[in-house]
Amino acid sequence: MEQIIFQGRIDGLDVDQVVRDHDYSMAARHFHDTYELYCLLEGERYYFIDKQTYLVKAGDVVLIRPYQIHKTSTGGSSYHNRILFQISGRLMDPFLKACGIGKMEDVFAEDAMIISVPAEGQGEILELVRQIQRELEERPRQYVTGIKLKLAQLFLYLIRFRKKVSFQQETQKVQTWKHQKVHEVADYLLNHPQSRESLEDLARRFYVSRSYLSRIFREITGFSVNEYRNVNRIKKSQQLLLHSQYSITEISDLMGFENLTYYERVFKKYAGTTPLKYRKTVVTQNP
C-alpha cells in the first residue's frame, strides 16, 4: 500500500510525504537540477549516492545536491514514512544570503550528505516541516515569505547540528559483497571517465561475470554501467566547459567519447542542451 499524506508546491519548491508498506525502489536514471532534502520519519532505506550505498534510519536527514546520482530501495522492513523536499537555488539563494546563511550550496556541503538527528532534535525538525506544510495548505498572507523563513530555520538548525556531532556517514555504509562490488566499479568509472572498457572488460577487471555485473549494477544504482559512465562523463565535461580553455572536441576526447557527434548527443540527453550552448549560457549568466 502507498498513502500520500501531503503534497504541496510553489514555484521552486515541491514537498510531499508518503507512507509505504511494500517493497519500493526509486525510479531509474534519477538525478535533477534541484536540491533534495529527504527526511525519514519511520523505517529504514538503502540510499545510493554517487558511488556508495548507505543505510538510512528513522531520524536521518539526507541532503542531495543538484545532479547527484541517487536511488532509494528497501532496507530491512518495507514500511517507511518519508518527507521529500525538492528546492531550487533560485528560490532560496537570495533569501539565505540576506539572512547571512550563504547559499544553498553552502548548506548542502559535500560532507553533509547524511545527518543522523538524535531523538531530542527530531521534534524540532518535524515541527518546522509541519509549519512549512501548513503554509502550503492554508496559504495565508505572505505565505511564500513564511515558507522561506521556515526553510531558512531548518537549514540553520541542520548547519548548527552538523557542527556539534561527529559525522556518522562512514558507519552507515552498506558493506555487503554485492554492494561493495558495485561501489568498486562505480568508483573506478568516476575516476576514469576516459575509459572505453566494455562491460566484458570491466567484469573481467573486477572478477565477476558480465551478466552478474550488469544485473547488480542496475539493481543498486538504477543505471546500466554505460549510462552511469556517460552521466559522470557529462558532469565532468560540464566543469571543463566552464573552467578550462579546451575546445569542445578536445573535451569530447578527454572524456573518452568515440566521436564529437556521440558526445553532443549524450550531452543533450542529460543536460538538455548542446555543449556549446551550455558553455555560452552559463558563462553569460556568470560573467
Side-chain angles (χ1 to χ4, degrees), residues 79 139 142 149 160 173 186 191 206 217 221 241 257 263:
Y79 176 84
R139 306 211 167 194
Q142 301 296 324
L149 280 168
R160 287 175 172 174
K173 289 182 178 179
N191 289 296
F206 290 96
F217 200 90
T221 71
L241 287 165
F257 286 97
Y263 168 57

Side-chain angles (χ1 to χ4, degrees), residues 30-246:
H30 197 76
F31 60 102
H32 37 71
D33 62 358
T34 53
Y35 293 88
E36 178 171 305
L37 191 152
Y38 178 103
C39 301
L40 189 62
L41 305 182
E42 299 175 279
E44 294 184 346
R45 300 289 287 167
Y46 286 138
Y47 214 126
F48 178 85
I49 306 172
D50 280 339
K51 62 178 183 179
Q52 184 73 48
T53 301
Y54 304 90
L55 179 61
V56 176
K57 300 180 179 181
D60 288 351
V61 176
V62 184
L63 304 177
I64 301 293
R65 299 186 304 279
Y67 300 108
Q68 275 194 292
I69 294 171
H70 57 287
K71 179 178 184 287
T72 64
S73 56
T74 301
S77 170
S78 60
Y79 176 84
H80 66 281
N81 179 1
R82 63 95 173 123
I83 299 174
L84 183 69
F85 291 77
Q86 298 285 355
I87 312 163
S88 74
R90 75 177 186 278
L91 174 73
M92 291 302 298
D93 278 347
F95 192 86
L96 293 178
K97 186 176 181 181
C99 293
I101 294 176
K103 296 195 297 186
M104 291 288 284
E105 65 184 28
D106 301 313
V107 178
F108 285 67
E110 186 170 355
D111 65 347
M113 279 194 277
I114 302 171
I115 301 174
S116 296
V117 181
E120 60 269 22
Q122 292 173 23
E124 295 182 54
I125 295 281
L126 187 56
E127 177 56 27
L128 286 169
V129 169
R130 296 302 184 216
Q131 290 178 22
I132 293 169
Q133 290 178 333
R134 285 197 293 272
E135 294 281 345
L136 286 165
E137 284 181 317
E138 299 171 10
R139 306 211 167 194
R141 291 184 63 186
Q142 301 296 324
Y143 71 92
V144 173
T145 300
I147 289 169
K148 291 179 181 179
L149 280 168
K150 298 300 185 296
L151 281 172
Q153 284 181 268
L154 177 58
F155 294 152
L156 182 59
Y157 182 86
L158 291 173
I159 289 169
R160 287 175 172 174
F161 184 77
R162 192 171 72 216
K163 293 181 181 299
K164 289 181 180 178
V165 298
S166 58
F167 192 57
Q168 299 296 316
Q169 191 165 311
E170 284 296 316
T171 66
Q172 293 176 267
K173 289 182 178 179
V174 179
Q175 301 290 351
T176 67
W177 190 91
K178 177 173 66 174
H179 285 88
Q180 193 57 41
K181 187 60 62 176
V182 170
H183 305 159
E184 289 173 7
V185 176
D187 184 65
Y188 178 79
L189 294 174
L190 277 172
N191 289 296
H192 299 84
Q194 75 285 357
S195 169
R196 298 182 181 180
E197 291 170 274
S198 67
L199 181 61
E200 189 75 43
D201 293 334
L202 287 169
R204 190 178 303 112
R205 175 184 289 277
F206 290 96
Y207 306 103
V208 293
S209 72
R210 180 181 182 276
S211 60
Y212 182 69
L213 175 58
S214 178
R215 178 171 62 81
I216 64 171
F217 200 90
R218 184 179 289 278
E219 174 190 336
I220 291 171
T221 71
F223 288 79
S224 71
V225 170
N226 198 52
E227 287 170 341
Y228 181 86
R229 171 164 39 199
N230 279 342
V231 168
N232 284 291
R233 282 172 165 176
I234 296 307
K235 289 167 65 177
K236 289 178 183 292
S237 78
Q238 286 175 314
Q239 295 303 307
L240 291 174
L241 287 165
L242 297 183
H243 305 297
S244 80
Q245 299 301 314
Y246 288 120

